[in-house]
Amino acid sequence: MLTIKHFSKCYKGGKKAVDDLNLVIEPGDIYGFIGHNGAGKTTTIRAVVGVLDFEEGDIEIDGISIKKDPVACKAITAYIPDNPDLYDHLTGIQYLNFIGDLFSVSKADRESLIKKYGDDFQITAYFGDLISSYSHGMKQKLAIISALIHRPKLLVLDEPFVGLDPKAAHVLKTIMADLCSNGSAIFFSTHVLDVAEKLCNKIAIIKAGKLITYGKTEEVKGDNSLENVFLELIDHD
Amino acid sequence: MINIWRLTKIQLLSSFGLNKALHTHDVKERRRLLLLSIAILISVVMVGVVSFGYSFMMALTFEQIGRMDLLLAIMMAVASVIGFFTTIYKASGVLFSFKDYDLVMSLPIKTSHVVASRVLQLYVLNLFFTLMVMLPAGVVYAIKVNPGVFYYLLYLTTLLFIPLIPIIAATIIGSLISWISSRFKGSQVISLILTFAVILAVMFGSFRMNGSVQVLSDMGTQLADMIFKLYPLTSIYVDAVCSYQMGSFLLFIVISVLAFMLFTIVLGTRFKAIYTGITTSHASSKYQMKPLEAASPFLALYRKELRRYISSSSYVLNTSIGMILLLAMSISLLFISSEKLGQLVEIPQLSTYLSKLAPLVVSLFVTLSCTTSSSISLEGKNIWILKSSPVPKQTILLSKIAVNLTVTIPILIVSYVLLMISLRTGWIESLLLLAIPMIYACYSAMMGVLVNLKFPNLEWTSEVTVIKQSASVIVAMLIGFISLVIPFALVLLLSNVNGNLILLGIGLIMIAVCSVILRYIRTNGEQLFQTL
């Protein structure tokens, strides 16, 4: 579903944020992307979803190169950034309808999915209010719903659990599992290692722009906890 | 006091991409900023030369009647009026619409100091206008009168205090409008209506006053009396600078500084209440799912962009004032002759311009209403939504152009009909009167998008920084101005050639320019948007 081939990204000035990253995410995978602050997680994620331009390597989504056909890639991808900066001047429902239009979601689909996810996250009653009146968590919920209404084949999330209340975090985890059981793939970054350990079937750890380990969660952590493995790799590698 | 300067410095660094210019290591970026600085310098020199010429011409008249002090009085009044008008419709934005409000207000700094820093930001910008008007006037005065050293000392010191009172007056009105609007549900719309009402009322009032006393024909004492009566501070200023009266000099400075201090302290007490009123949205939390309406990506983007436009009073005020003035002028021409109108708005040859250059005059108002030059920057941190959406980027850019045309075209058509009636144009003139401004409307909108793609500013904390003080807005204004000055000069210089023929040529050239820009947006828009 997602193939990252020899992806590198340099900052202006020559410093490499990500260096020759290779990763394959298959349908049904919930792939956790772990690393300390500034390791290159967000840079990679932003390149995957076509927000960040890059020169070296290639990224393919469902066999399509993001460089050659970005629109086709974006049509099957959903992205939720770490900070949900949404249009404050729109109401929640206007924003969701706007996203529905951009992703050409049918009227029936968008109505039923907005209702379903709105009720799941207990936010439907607030859809008529301006986004400027929303709390951080409500904006996060709205961003998640907007990512789900077009049934993405690939869901990319940057720190999705930050700002969510425990109930909403539980709902999101259930939705992630459901999506993957239906053949979609999920690639997400997180600092919450417990969640990654329980939720992800595969894990990749990045340090200073380089992938230091990746694979099935059980293989990466072995008999240790993911936290111990992560700390050991980050400190000693 | 040091905190006021610290806050002001931080705000000013985010204006005009100043901080980026100081810290970027990117050679391409540096080259671009160098070009921008050259463009700004050229425009400053151009305005300076025009201002000097204007002062010099006026000085010739005042020299004859032996009242050179009137030159400084008039120019000081002009600088104050410019300061007042350019502040009134951005005061609310600068004072109350900054995204780092929480951060700034949580610092151990007095609220009155925060207010002072916001007003000082307005002051620095207005000081620039004051210098553009007053410096050439001061030089002309010095050439003609040959005053002593004391003049330079008093003149240069008072320069720094001229913008204070007009800014405070405009900010009081701006704050009052914000305070009143904050009490209503649709505060932005109320604020917009009130600001337009105040601007039009002040303009109408000043026209009426001018018309009744026939200022332009009566030079001398009557003119001096009127200026001194309208703005008493001019009298104190002239006494201080031209007659070296130390009492007046001190009074001028004390009044300006005291007014500034009083204003910041008083507003400081109501600042939080006004901010909360403006920024607090009315939430009903009672929404029930209703049938949704599906639309094409272009229509969805267009609606989103239009809602964005209407949601910001600063954006609307700054970009639609040209069209409002055009409409006001067109309506006025139905009731008064163009000669009389020229007298009222202090452009003596307006009637000649209107009959010969009407399509270009209308185009001037249209290019003043460029919404696109800040539309990409205004996406700010929301840019990820558009960048990650499966829509060709040219569709996004075209939706922004469409909103600009929505602002200009309807008023343009109404004004066209009104002007056609009042100017009694022939059919070829009528056609040109419609076609040329329409072409300029398309050109201005497309050029604005292109300039904003080249000079984006997505890292703003106050949207006024983008709407009023960003590089792309200045560059687009400069290009728009040059694009009209050349045709104006051509029509005036080639007076022996048929004016309609020249206008037709200009129209065809502008259509060619538009198609080149459109082609560029279609081929390179995607790439430029991606690099944002």
Side-chain angles (χ1 to χ4, degrees):
Chain A
M1 183 60 68
L2 169 65
T3 311
I4 303 174
K5 296 177 189 168
H6 303 290
F7 165 65
S8 295
K9 177 71 192 171
C10 282
Y11 289 126
K12 284 172 183 171
K15 189 178 177 284
K16 279 202 165 171
V18 181
D19 190 6
D20 195 30
L21 188 106
N22 291 283
L23 211 60
V24 176
I25 294 158
E26 289 164 344
D29 277 349
I30 300 185
Y31 217 121
F33 197 33
I34 301 166
H36 55 69
N37 295 331
K41 299 189 297 295
T42 299
T43 303
T44 308
I45 281 177
R46 293 181 75 226
V48 166
V49 297
V51 169
L52 187 71
D53 213 17
F54 61 95
E55 299 78 32
E56 284 181 53
D58 200 3
I59 293 169
E60 286 178 2
I61 297 170
D62 208 16
I64 310 163
S65 163
I66 189 104
K67 275 187 173 175
K68 288 181 187 146
D69 195 350
V71 173
C73 287
K74 289 171 189 176
I76 51 171
T77 308
Y79 168 51
I80 302 165
D82 52 350
N83 209 352
D85 288 306
L86 307 175
Y87 297 120
D88 281 346
H89 62 281
L90 297 184
T91 62
I93 194 69
Q94 282 172 341
Y95 178 70
L96 293 173
N97 209 28
F98 169 69
I99 295 295
D101 287 337
L102 294 192
F103 281 83
S104 305
V105 181
S106 71
K107 188 176 175 315
D109 269 6
R110 82 175 70 173
E111 281 173 5
S112 67
L113 289 173
I114 288 173
K115 173 91 175 75
K116 176 189 174 325
Y117 292 123
D119 290 347
D120 283 352
F121 283 106
Q122 298 174 331
I123 195 179
T124 310
Y126 302 93
F127 280 163
D129 300 336
L130 283 173
I131 295 175
S132 58
S133 70
Y134 283 21
S135 68
H136 179 90
M138 285 162 78
K139 284 183 186 172
Q140 183 79 345
K141 288 177 186 175
L142 194 69
I144 293 168
I145 296 170
S146 73
L148 297 170
I149 57 170
H150 53 93
R151 301 184 201 272
K153 282 189 172 179
L154 174 68
L155 180 61
V156 184
L157 310 98
D158 197 356
E159 293 290 350
F161 299 102
V162 173
L164 289 183
D165 58 63
K167 170 93 168 69
H170 173 73
V171 170
L172 177 60
K173 282 184 237 171
T174 313
I175 290 171
M176 285 166 84
D178 283 352
L179 267 179
C180 289
S181 62
N182 289 327
S184 293
I186 294 173
F187 181 49
F188 78 103
S189 73
T190 184
H191 288 299
V192 191
L193 298 180
D194 282 350
V195 170
E197 192 173 346
K198 283 178 194 153
L199 194 65
C200 303
N201 65 325
K202 287 177 186 166
I203 297 276
I205 299 178
I206 186 172
K207 181 186 175 186
K210 291 196 175 199
L211 208 58
I212 50 174
T213 188
Y214 64 96
K216 288 186 176 164
T217 309
E218 313 86 69
E219 289 168 10
V220 169
K221 73 181 183 81
D223 293 332
N224 272 317
S225 71
L226 187 60
E227 189 177 27
N228 285 341
V229 174
F230 175 74
L231 292 174
E232 200 174 307
L233 285 169
I234 291 299
D235 288 341
H236 297 295
D237 263 24
Chain B
M1 287 299 275
I2 188 79
N3 286 331
I4 299 176
W5 167 237
R6 281 177 183 143
L7 288 174
T8 311
K9 195 174 81 176
I10 288 287
Q11 289 152 26
L12 288 174
L13 279 175
S14 66
S15 304
F16 308 110
L18 219 56
N19 209 34
K20 212 173 171 183
L22 292 172
H23 294 103
T24 185
H25 295 295
D26 187 13
V27 181
K28 234 172 151 184
E29 186 74 23
R30 275 179 179 266
R31 202 180 304 141
R32 202 164 56 173
L33 290 163
L34 183 73
L35 280 173
L36 175 69
S37 312
I38 294 170
I40 292 174
L41 194 71
I42 291 171
S43 46
V44 167
V45 171
M46 272 165 61
V47 176
V49 168
V50 171
S51 176
F52 184 84
Y54 201 72
S55 285
F56 200 83
M57 298 289 278
M58 280 211 294
L60 293 176
T61 317
F62 294 135
E63 206 174 17
Q64 282 172 1
I65 57 170
R67 290 293 306 267
M68 274 308 290
D69 61 318
L70 281 179
L71 175 68
L72 290 182
I74 284 185
M75 293 319 263
M76 191 256 193
V78 166
S80 304
V81 168
I82 293 175
F84 179 79
F85 275 106
T86 53
T87 307
I88 195 164
Y89 54 89
K90 67 180 173 195
S92 170
V94 170
L95 280 169
F96 304 110
S97 300
F98 51 109
K99 285 195 169 176
D100 53 352
Y101 174 87
D102 288 9
L103 178 74
V104 172
M105 293 300 283
S106 65
L107 296 170
I109 298 173
K110 281 184 189 169
T111 309
S112 60
H113 288 187
V114 174
V115 174
S117 76
R118 310 303 301 181
V119 179
L120 275 180
Q121 190 190 348
L122 291 168
Y123 166 80
V124 173
L125 296 168
N126 276 288
L127 187 63
F128 169 75
F129 291 120
T130 305
L131 293 178
M132 292 310 294
V133 175
M134 289 308 291
L135 272 182
V139 172
V140 170
Y141 181 85
I143 293 170
K144 295 285 180 189
V145 177
N146 201 15
V149 186
F150 216 51
Y151 158 78
Y152 296 97
L153 197 73
L154 296 170
Y155 166 76
L156 289 172
T157 315
T158 47
L159 264 187
L160 301 173
F161 298 90
I162 291 173
L164 280 175
I165 296 284
I167 287 172
I168 292 162
T171 315
I172 288 173
I173 296 173
S175 305
L176 265 177
I177 290 172
S178 300
W179 184 66
I180 296 166
S181 318
S182 68
R183 295 168 166 254
F184 293 92
K185 195 178 173 188
S187 63
Q188 293 289 358
V189 180
I190 303 280
S191 160
L192 205 63
I193 292 167
L194 286 175
T195 314
F196 268 129
V198 169
I199 290 175
L200 289 175
V202 172
M203 284 173 90
F204 183 69
S206 64
F207 287 172
R208 272 186 61 133
M209 209 170 282
N210 276 2
S212 61
V213 291
Q214 292 198 322
V215 182
L216 290 164
S217 53
D218 295 328
M219 287 295 174
T221 325
Q222 207 177 344
L223 175 59
D225 282 350
M226 201 204 72
I227 294 170
F228 296 157
K229 212 184 286 172
L230 271 177
Y231 189 38
L233 225 57
T234 32
S235 164
I236 304 171
Y237 173 76
V238 167
D239 286 345
V241 177
C242 301
S243 312
Y244 312 148
Q245 287 180 19
M246 282 314 286
S248 299
F249 173 73
L250 290 173
L251 188 65
F252 181 73
I253 291 173
V254 167
I255 289 175
S256 301
V257 174
L258 260 184
F260 173 75
M261 285 169 67
L262 258 173
F263 173 71
T264 54
I265 291 167
V266 172
L267 185 61
T269 60
R270 302 295 307 151
F271 189 65
K272 273 187 230 174
I274 298 175
Y275 179 86
T276 314
I278 291 173
T279 52
T280 308
S281 307
H282 289 257
S284 67
S285 316
K286 286 176 191 160
Y287 184 80
Q288 284 184 324
M289 281 301 293
K290 296 171 199 136
L292 297 170
E293 192 190 331
S296 68
F298 175 79
L299 195 59
L301 287 161
Y302 171 78
R303 280 185 190 150
K304 186 273 298 179
E305 194 65 26
L306 200 60
R307 284 190 178 117
R308 173 72 181 94
Y309 182 69
I310 296 163
S311 72
S312 164
S313 53
S314 309
Y315 197 13
V316 174
L317 282 166
N318 279 285
T319 54
S320 64
I321 191 79
M323 297 316 291
I324 299 288
L325 289 176
L326 172 64
L327 192 64
M329 186 187 77
S330 308
I331 294 169
S332 310
L333 278 173
L334 281 180
F335 302 104
I336 43 172
S337 67
S338 50
E339 290 83 7
K340 180 78 178 163
L341 186 75
Q343 237 180 14
L344 294 182
V345 296
E346 297 179 24
I347 307 173
Q349 288 148 314
L350 188 75
S351 62
T352 326
Y353 293 147
L354 275 181
S355 52
K356 258 180 140 183
L357 301 162
L360 293 176
V361 173
V362 175
S363 302
L364 179 69
F365 288 106
V366 171
T367 49
L368 283 175
S369 307
C370 180
T371 63
T372 48
S373 59
S374 54
S375 61
I376 295 166
S377 297
L378 281 171
E379 292 289 340
K381 288 182 175 158
N382 297 329
I383 195 81
W384 70 270
I385 299 169
L386 297 182
K387 283 180 89 175
S388 62
S389 66
V391 179
K393 300 304 169 249
Q394 53 166 300
T395 310
I396 296 169
L397 301 176
L398 289 176
S399 73
K400 292 179 183 293
I401 292 170
V403 169
N404 200 159
L405 294 178
T406 307
V407 173
T408 50
I409 300 288
I411 298 180
L412 194 60
I413 291 172
V414 173
S415 302
Y416 160 73
V417 173
L418 297 173
L419 285 171
M420 215 170 54
I421 296 166
S422 57
L423 297 176
R424 292 179 211 94
T425 49
W427 73 271
I428 297 179
E429 286 83 4
S430 298
L431 200 69
L432 287 167
L433 186 59
L434 182 66
I436 300 284
M438 288 272 199
I439 296 167
Y440 267 95
C442 296
Y443 163 72
S444 170
M446 288 194 276
M447 181 265 293
V449 159
L450 196 61
V451 171
N452 203 187
L453 276 172
K454 296 276 183 188
F455 296 98
N457 173 15
L458 300 166
E459 302 295 322
W460 46 268
T461 49
S462 165
E463 61 181 22
V464 180
T465 325
V466 174
I467 296 162
K468 288 290 290 182
Q469 295 144 244
S470 65
S472 73
V473 169
I474 294 168
V475 171
M477 266 177 72
L478 188 64
I479 295 175
F481 183 66
I482 292 169
S483 313
L484 273 163
V485 163
I486 296 169
F488 261 108
L490 276 176
V491 175
L492 291 175
L493 291 173
L494 303 171
S495 51
N496 50 344
V497 183
N498 186 327
N500 290 343
L501 214 61
I502 300 171
L503 284 172
L504 191 69
I506 291 164
L508 290 173
I509 291 169
M510 290 313 290
I511 288 174
V513 173
C514 285
S515 53
V516 169
I517 299 176
L518 191 64
R519 201 183 155 86
Y520 187 83
I521 289 172
R522 283 186 191 280
T523 50
N524 298 309
E526 189 88 33
Q527 181 58 29
L528 283 170
F529 200 89
Q530 203 55 38
T531 51
L532 286 173

